[in-house]
Amino acid sequence: MKTSYNLRSIAAKAINQVLDQGLSLSTVIPELQKNISDKDKALLQEICFGVLRTLPQLEWIIQQLMDKPLKGKQRILHYLIMVGLYQLLYTRIPAHAALAETVNGAVALKKPQLKGLINGVLRQFQRQQDILNERFQNSENRFLHPSWLLARIKQAYPEQWMSIVEGNNQKPPMWLRVNQRHHSREEYLTLLENEEISAIADDNHPFAIRLENPCNVNLLPGFADGWVTVQDRSAQRCAELLAPENKEQILDLCAAPGGKTTHILEIAPQAQVLAIDIDEQRLKRVQENLTRLKLNAVVKSGDGRYPEQWCSGMQFDRVLLDAPCSATGVIRRHPDIKWLRRNDDIEQLAQIQKEILHAIWPYLKSGGTLVYATCSILPEENKQQVEAFLASTKDAQCDYQHQCLPEAEGGDGFFYALINKI
């Protein structure tokens, strides 16, 4: 393993790949983590996610401290300065160490001539930190969201928008789903206690446990043996609502990375599950999860809009459609969403959701159940989508729908509709 690397320069490269190349952190981080130590993997993730969580603040500070922005081939140094600012603002790394490592990042990025500039900007921030922070809290950037998204949230939730935004800007809690084929939730809580891992059960979700402090999955008792899965509380609700039963034919559509596929099979191990996703790379994760949990499903690549290409005329008792969406309910887990999404994406995503819903409906048996779910909080993708589908589909009846909003110690933003074929 290489040890001669500068972590801050690697973080700057990751941020550059997200903001300038449009890649997601979940794509970028694993690649960049390959040649760094386990200890530094966590720090790299903390810095990259933190910078993207607080991006408007860091941009605003740089604007106050620099006359001209760094552009072109020097743009990577702009992101390196952000890395330095984030450490000074939000981490416990001693200021002198954060400064030294960030300045040395310029050398690693082959821009040694700019060491002085970076050092100067960061030291100037240290001197003015209190007054700059106070001024920022009175600026329009203080909500740390792009203006188009903030406007949509305010319109949809005129009374709750502030708490939604605050929730989006926090670090997410770590939720576990206990595999009750191995242990009851109470038994697993005891196992965690024996390892001195503090955790709390959720009264409204029978499989859910929240850790007081997130930890490496390898520290969780029996993780490698499938005793437990990392899955947000709100996401766990999907399989609960679906209520799968043994021997049934079940379709998990848009299944990657497989959390819901495996949950279906934990509830009904003898169900015949077909897991479909358009992304072949992400389907590998589905298979990995099935293998770890020693469960079996048919895993196929396919587009939900064209089931005739992969369905072979099958009819399903139950369908779980976790539809492609804006992911505006999971911003706290994926802060890059704020900067990768665009306003006009919402209309395009809603159209895809509509096409998938209508395409898959004929493959649901009469009397069957479809759970439509998204990790979005926007009505266009959720309530309005379901209302339009019901209005145009005579044999569809919605028995339940619910919108979860992100909560600090609770679940992610999620929407569910339970639609029956009559």
Side-chain angles (χ1 to χ4, degrees), residues 83-91 94-95 98-99 122 125-126 129:
V83 168
L85 290 171
Y86 178 77
Q87 292 171 88
L88 293 172
L89 277 164
Y90 291 106
T91 73
L99 271 165
L122 295 178
F125 170 70
Q126 283 184 296
Q129 183 167 349

Side-chain angles (χ1 to χ4, degrees), residues 27 41 43 58 73 111 141 166 197 223 238 241 277 288 294 303 323 364 398 410:
T27 300
K41 284 177 183 176
L43 180 56
L58 307 179
K73 291 181 179 179
K111 299 281 192 297
N141 295 311
E166 288 174 358
I197 298 174
F223 180 81
C238 294
L241 277 175
D277 200 276
E288 287 168 5
K294 299 178 179 64
D303 189 324
L364 181 67
C398 184

Side-chain angles (χ1 to χ4, degrees), residues 152-414:
R152 279 186 179 268
I153 295 173
K154 284 181 177 180
Q155 182 179 3
Y157 303 98
E159 295 179 3
Q160 298 150 295
W161 71 269
M162 184 83 80
S163 64
I164 292 170
V165 166
E166 288 174 358
N168 287 346
N169 292 338
Q170 293 176 356
K171 294 179 183 179
M174 184 171 176
W175 284 94
L176 306 179
R177 184 186 82 225
V178 177
N179 185 349
Q180 306 215 357
R181 296 169 70 212
H182 293 284
H183 301 90
S184 70
R185 184 167 63 175
E186 288 65 33
E187 288 169 343
Y188 197 78
L189 281 166
T190 301
L191 292 173
L192 288 173
E193 189 178 346
N194 292 342
E195 297 296 325
E196 298 184 347
I197 298 174
S198 299
I200 298 169
D202 187 284
D203 292 340
N204 299 314
H205 297 263
F207 314 101
I209 290 175
R210 177 173 58 81
L211 299 188
E212 293 275 26
N213 296 294
C215 73
N216 189 301
V217 292
N218 296 320
L219 299 175
L220 298 172
F223 180 81
D225 298 317
W227 295 0
V228 71
T229 293
V230 178
Q231 187 183 39
D232 184 78
R233 180 185 79 173
S234 296
Q236 294 183 36
R237 182 73 175 134
C238 294
E240 293 167 24
L241 277 175
L242 191 69
E245 295 183 8
N246 286 323
K247 309 296 186 185
E248 288 183 329
Q249 299 280 352
I250 298 175
L251 173 63
D252 185 5
L253 192 51
C254 312
K260 299 175 185 71
T261 311
T262 53
H263 196 188
I264 290 167
L265 286 161
E266 285 175 18
I267 296 171
Q270 295 171 44
Q272 304 299 309
V273 176
L274 174 61
I276 297 289
D277 200 276
I278 198 169
D279 188 333
E280 290 194 32
Q281 282 299 114
R282 294 185 77 227
L283 277 176
K284 292 177 182 175
R285 291 278 309 283
V286 179
Q287 197 56 63
E288 287 168 5
N289 280 315
L290 287 164
T291 300
R292 181 177 66 85
L293 292 156
K294 299 178 179 64
L295 297 168
N296 294 301
V298 176
V299 179
K300 275 187 181 181
S301 174
D303 189 324
R305 294 171 294 180
Y306 311 110
E308 67 279 1
Q309 296 178 358
W310 45 262
C311 203
S312 306
M314 288 179 69
Q315 291 277 298
F316 299 95
D317 297 285
R318 299 176 199 268
V319 174
L320 173 55
L321 170 53
D322 185 6
C325 71
S326 62
T328 44
V330 293
I331 284 173
R332 61 185 185 174
R333 295 192 187 283
H334 305 281
D336 49 344
I337 287 166
K338 292 189 289 188
W339 320 116
L340 294 174
R341 286 273 176 264
R342 298 290 180 266
N343 192 35
D344 56 6
D345 290 344
I346 308 307
E347 186 179 346
Q348 294 171 23
L349 286 162
Q351 179 61 30
I352 292 170
Q353 293 154 4
K354 176 184 175 181
E355 290 175 18
I356 295 175
L357 260 173
H358 283 278
I360 203 61
W361 189 251
Y363 294 85
L364 181 67
K365 292 178 184 177
S366 180
T369 298
L370 182 146
V371 171
Y372 174 82
T374 75
C375 55
S376 168
I377 60 168
L378 301 180
E380 295 88 341
E381 302 178 88
N382 297 337
K383 185 178 180 182
Q384 292 174 21
Q385 184 70 260
V386 170
E387 287 174 351
F389 178 73
L390 294 172
S392 62
T393 312
K394 291 181 180 178
D395 57 350
Q397 175 180 302
C398 184
D399 289 345
Y400 172 86
Q401 59 177 300
H402 181 66
Q403 176 73 67
C404 293
L405 299 177
E407 301 174 43
E409 301 297 341
D412 292 336
F414 236 90

Side-chain angles (χ1 to χ4, degrees), residues 60-103:
W60 183 87
I61 291 169
I62 291 174
Q63 287 172 9
Q64 312 309 305
L65 299 177
M66 295 181 68
D67 294 331
K68 293 182 180 179
L70 293 164
K71 294 182 178 178
K73 291 181 179 179
Q74 295 182 342
R75 187 66 179 167
I76 190 76
L77 278 304
H78 179 85
Y79 301 129
L80 184 63
I81 293 171
M82 286 186 173
V83 168
L85 290 171
Y86 178 77
Q87 292 171 88
L88 293 172
L89 277 164
Y90 291 106
T91 73
R92 296 179 181 177
I93 299 167
H96 68 274
L99 271 165
E101 287 296 316
T102 304
V103 170

